[in-house]
Amino acid sequence: MKLFEDLTPTKFLGITGTVAAACIGATWLVAQKLQADELQGYKAAQELHLADAITSLKIYAESAKLTATEHEKLAVMEKQVPELIKTNADLKARIESVTRDRDTLQSTVNGILQKSAEVEIPVGEARSIVPNALTIGVVAVYGSSIAATVNGDDQNMKPGSATKLNIAGKPRTVTLTKISPNSATFALSKAD
């Protein structure tokens, strides 16, 4: 099959690494946003201190003379206490679960970013290497140099040219490692 004849182990690893980094990066960003919003809601719910509020209402009811309507309202509130306590416990468990998931995802993304990754990009194309954090495009190849964009910044690069970036809070370097007539290969590695 013509499609796979030019596929070398290096190209395959580059493509696989790029796809894995893109998937994990996108997942991490989406999960981080969802978890942050969810954690804020759970924390706000925990701060209500529902059990203390119900106890205070009981003490007040015993010391004050209540009307029939007030007795009915208090009875309704007392019936809600077990459900509210259960909801509070469920929210605490969910916060712990979301925190564990976030930590696991952060660890996975950090593991990918710590490894060197190489990616080949055809002329006239751009690739999102780390979603919302690193995009590289190859504009043109001029023999021993290229015109490229790194995160939207125009660059003229020769093999060995490097650009330092901050990706997901980590210093990284993008280095042009190879030029061919129809593509350029870049390496993403830890910055020194």
Side-chain angles (χ1 to χ4, degrees), residues 59-106:
I59 292 170
Y60 177 75
E62 290 173 7
S63 64
K65 294 187 179 193
L66 301 176
T67 65
T69 304
E70 290 171 328
H71 277 292
E72 289 173 14
K73 287 180 182 178
L74 183 58
V76 169
M77 286 185 207
E78 286 178 342
K79 288 179 183 177
Q80 292 174 340
V81 170
E83 182 181 331
L84 293 173
I85 289 172
K86 182 187 180 314
T87 300
N88 194 30
D90 291 346
L91 291 174
K92 284 181 183 179
R94 182 71 179 134
I95 287 171
E96 291 171 5
S97 173
V98 168
T99 301
R100 279 192 308 274
D101 292 347
R102 183 200 62 214
D103 293 345
T104 300
L105 187 56
Q106 180 67 43

Side-chain angles (χ1 to χ4, degrees), residues 100-187:
R100 279 192 308 274
D101 292 347
R102 183 200 62 214
D103 293 345
T104 300
L105 187 56
Q106 180 67 43
S107 176
T108 302
V109 168
N110 287 342
I112 288 174
L113 290 177
Q114 287 181 8
K115 298 175 185 173
S116 292
E118 242 185 39
V119 62
E120 182 178 359
I121 302 173
V123 174
E125 291 187 24
R127 298 278 165 79
S128 179
I129 310 304
V130 178
N132 298 324
L134 176 60
T135 300
I136 301 173
V138 177
V139 179
V141 173
Y142 307 111
S144 63
S145 68
I146 67 163
T149 58
V150 178
N151 283 346
D153 294 329
D154 293 334
Q155 308 256 340
N156 289 315
M157 301 177 81
K158 297 177 184 173
S161 295
T163 300
K164 294 187 180 201
L165 303 166
N166 186 358
I167 300 173
K170 307 277 186 201
R172 298 288 179 253
T173 301
V174 174
T175 306
L176 176 63
T177 59
K178 180 181 172 185
I179 298 175
S180 66
N182 298 318
S183 66
T185 302
F186 297 87

